[in-house]
């Protein structure tokens, strides 16, 4: 027996285990030896606990005592032992509860490769579903607040909306026009190269017009706004969440959705259609430049072909998707900003998530819209 820590005594009223000495971190090695010894040698049978000679006790000593005696035995012995100080008894009980909570994880069997693989798939599907439900709820809350605020002109915040239009719309004009111009030029290059084999180089004009008006202008603009504006919304609201500014607004009786979400949604609803229109013009100008340089199609002839052969409905088909994409991008950005849990790492994670979700939803909705318009014959 380790006389300085644990002694088994036989008394007139029964068998006793006398716990004595300092069960602290300083005696960790000796306590480990005692514990390893009794893993091979069972403790005496029916016994009572005597803690009258117990010195100092910390969490390390309490955990070793619980591991030595067992959780159930410790609980029973603590109830029967009235000589143990209240603070030591509370410490042992707290450590015992903590060990009991972690016990299932410690004893959890390791899953196989296939179990982990399919488990991860199930976890991912459940997380995506919960995220989708949360996003739908936030979108409904935003629509409800939007309809309410339209009927209350006193709560309109023109200054916030104009500031957000400048940030998310006006400042994005150069990058949107540059990107769509280059994409329009690339489409014209590809069209001129491929169609030249069939002697149909003149149809490069049709390709540039159709692709820019229906798809590329709105899609590229929306993807740029998803990466630029949705991330900005998430970072702004996430920083406010970390600094507890949103909680301060709620404590002041103000609605954060009215103050923070609605101006951003309205600003993007105004900005994205305008940016899409500019992207259409810029993309057509890019195709026009390539046609003039490579195919000897003059700008006047280019515009005549478009006006005669490209119906105006293609312009409206591209433009009608802009408000829908704008609402989705703004809602996703604000939703992720409100989900930040109070750390800088969380801000980064939710900013990344907002960009990924926005781009995915924009491409998904664009594909669904393309199928719908095709089936409708538009």
């Amino acid at each position: 027996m380790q006389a300085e820590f644990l002694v088994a005594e036989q008394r007139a009223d029964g068998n006793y285990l006398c716990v004595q000495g300092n069960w602290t971190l300083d005696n960790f090695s000796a306590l480990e030896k005692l514990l390893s010894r009794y893993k091979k040698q069972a403790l005496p049978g029916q016994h009572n606990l005597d803690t009258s000679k117990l010195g100092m006790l910390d969490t390390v000593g309490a955990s070793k005592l619980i591991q030595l005696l067992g959780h159930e035995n410790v609980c029973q012995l603590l109830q029967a032992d009235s000589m143990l100080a209240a603070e030591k008894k509370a410490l042992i009980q707290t450590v015992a509860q903590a060990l009991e909570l972690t016990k299932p994880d410690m004893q959890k069997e390791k899953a196989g490769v296939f179990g982990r693989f399919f488990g991860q798939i199930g976890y991912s599907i459940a997380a995506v579903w919960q995220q989708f439900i949360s996003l739908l709820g936030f979108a409904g809350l935003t629509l409800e607040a939007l309809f309410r605020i339209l009927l209350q002109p006193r709560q309109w915040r023109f200054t916030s909306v104009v500031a957000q239009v400048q940030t998310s719309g006006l400042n994005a004009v150069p990058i949107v026009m540059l990107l769509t111009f280059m994409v329009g030029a690339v489409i014209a290059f590809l069209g001129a190269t491929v169609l030249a084999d069939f002697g149909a180089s003149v149809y490069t004009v049709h390709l540039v017009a159709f692709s820019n008006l229906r798809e590329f202008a709105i899609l590229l603009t929306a993807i740029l706004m998803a990466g630029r504006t949705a991330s900005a919304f998430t970072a702004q609201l996430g920083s406010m969440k970390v600094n507890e500014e949103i909680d301060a607004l709620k404590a002041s009786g103000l609605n954060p959705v009215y103050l923070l979400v609605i101006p951003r949604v309205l600003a993007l609803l105004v900005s994205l259609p305008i940016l899409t229109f500019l992207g259409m013009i810029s993309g057509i100008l890019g195709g026009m430049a390539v046609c003039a340089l490579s195919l000897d199609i003059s700008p006047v002839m280019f515009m005549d072909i478009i006006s005669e052969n490209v119906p105006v409905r293609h312009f409206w088909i591209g433009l009608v998707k802009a408000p829908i994409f704008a609402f989705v991008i703004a809602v996703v950005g604000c939703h992720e900003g409100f989900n930040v849990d109070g750390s800088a790492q969380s801000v980064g994670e939710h900013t990344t998530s907002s960009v990924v979700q926005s781009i995915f939803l924009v491409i998904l909705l664009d594909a669904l819209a393309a199928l719908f318009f095709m089936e409708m014959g538009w």
Side-chain angles (χ1 to χ4, degrees):
M1 291 280 181
Q2 295 284 344
E4 66 273 19
F5 292 117
L6 189 65
V7 176
E9 295 183 355
Q10 187 174 5
R11 302 177 185 175
D13 54 349
N15 297 324
Y16 279 83
L17 281 177
C18 299
V19 181
Q20 57 189 20
N22 296 326
W23 289 60
T24 60
L25 181 61
D26 294 336
N27 297 321
F28 178 81
S29 299
L31 292 174
E32 273 291 318
K33 292 179 181 179
L34 179 68
L35 184 61
S36 61
R37 177 177 180 176
Y38 282 106
K39 285 182 180 179
K40 302 177 181 179
Q41 176 184 348
L43 287 172
Q46 296 290 332
H47 54 267
N48 300 314
L49 186 66
D50 182 4
T51 58
S52 59
K53 298 180 180 179
L54 176 62
M56 293 185 292
L57 179 70
D58 59 9
T59 54
V60 173
S63 64
K64 295 303 177 185
L65 182 62
I66 295 167
Q67 293 174 22
L68 182 65
L69 301 179
H71 181 270
E72 296 181 358
N73 291 333
V74 168
C75 293
Q76 295 176 359
L77 295 174
L78 286 176
Q79 293 176 358
D81 188 4
S82 60
M83 295 181 291
L84 186 62
E87 61 273 12
K88 294 179 181 178
K89 184 179 294 187
L91 176 61
I92 295 175
Q93 290 175 343
T94 303
V95 173
Q97 292 173 0
L99 292 176
E100 189 67 18
L101 289 175
T102 58
K103 184 178 179 181
D105 293 335
M106 294 170 60
Q107 296 181 349
K108 185 177 180 181
E109 294 183 0
K110 292 184 178 180
V113 175
F114 289 103
R116 291 196 299 270
F117 175 73
F118 290 108
Q120 185 63 35
I121 292 177
Y123 176 80
S124 300
I125 293 174
V128 170
W129 176 251
Q130 291 296 329
Q131 179 69 16
F132 178 70
I133 296 299
S134 177
L135 183 60
L136 280 183
F138 188 80
L141 181 65
T142 302
L143 286 174
E144 186 265 344
L146 185 60
F147 287 130
R148 281 181 179 273
I149 205 170
L150 289 177
L151 302 177
Q152 301 175 5
R154 291 183 179 181
Q155 296 190 14
W156 294 357
R157 299 184 178 274
F158 293 103
T159 304
S160 299
V161 174
V162 171
Q164 292 296 333
V165 168
Q166 178 181 2
T167 303
S168 61
L170 184 60
N171 294 345
V173 169
I175 184 64
V176 169
M177 295 192 68
L178 177 62
L179 183 62
T180 51
F181 181 88
M182 291 189 295
V183 170
V186 170
I187 293 171
F189 271 123
L190 291 174
T193 302
V194 174
L195 295 176
D197 297 336
F198 303 95
S201 298
V202 69
Y203 288 103
T204 303
V205 179
H206 300 73
L207 178 62
V208 170
F210 279 110
S211 60
N212 274 285
L213 292 178
R214 290 182 68 102
E215 294 296 335
F216 285 114
I218 175 60
L219 189 60
L220 292 174
T221 303
I223 290 175
L224 277 175
M225 299 303 286
R228 183 181 182 277
T229 305
S231 60
F233 289 173
T234 303
Q236 291 166 3
L237 298 180
S239 298
M240 296 181 69
K241 187 74 175 294
V242 171
N243 295 330
E244 299 183 353
E245 296 177 39
I246 295 178
D247 294 334
L249 291 175
K250 293 179 181 179
S252 300
L254 301 175
N255 191 335
V257 177
Y258 287 176
L259 295 176
L260 303 175
V261 178
I262 297 302
R264 287 171 168 80
V265 172
L266 293 177
L268 212 55
L269 287 173
V270 172
S271 301
L272 193 57
I274 297 174
L275 291 173
T276 302
F277 176 72
L278 295 176
M280 292 176 178
I281 295 175
S282 181
I284 291 175
L285 289 177
M288 182 189 298
V290 172
C291 289
L293 296 173
S294 300
L295 302 176
D296 294 328
I297 299 176
S298 66
V300 175
M301 183 179 177
F302 188 94
M303 295 307 299
D304 286 341
I305 295 174
I306 289 180
S307 62
E308 292 176 3
N309 298 280
V310 180
V312 71
R313 72 171 183 271
H314 300 297
F315 167 77
W316 293 113
I317 286 175
L319 200 62
V320 76
K321 294 183 283 188
I324 300 174
F325 292 171
F327 180 78
V328 169
I329 292 169
V331 166
V332 170
C334 295
H335 176 251
E336 290 298 314
F338 278 103
N339 283 341
V340 172
D341 58 11
S343 65
Q345 181 180 358
S346 179
V347 174
E349 291 174 352
H350 285 282
T351 301
T352 303
S353 177
S354 69
V355 174
V356 173
Q357 289 183 51
S358 300
I359 293 176
F360 173 79
L361 290 176
V362 162
I363 295 176
L364 176 63
L365 292 175
D366 185 73
L368 295 175
L371 292 174
F372 172 76
F373 292 136
M374 183 180 65
E375 291 296 327
M376 297 297 294
W378 297 345

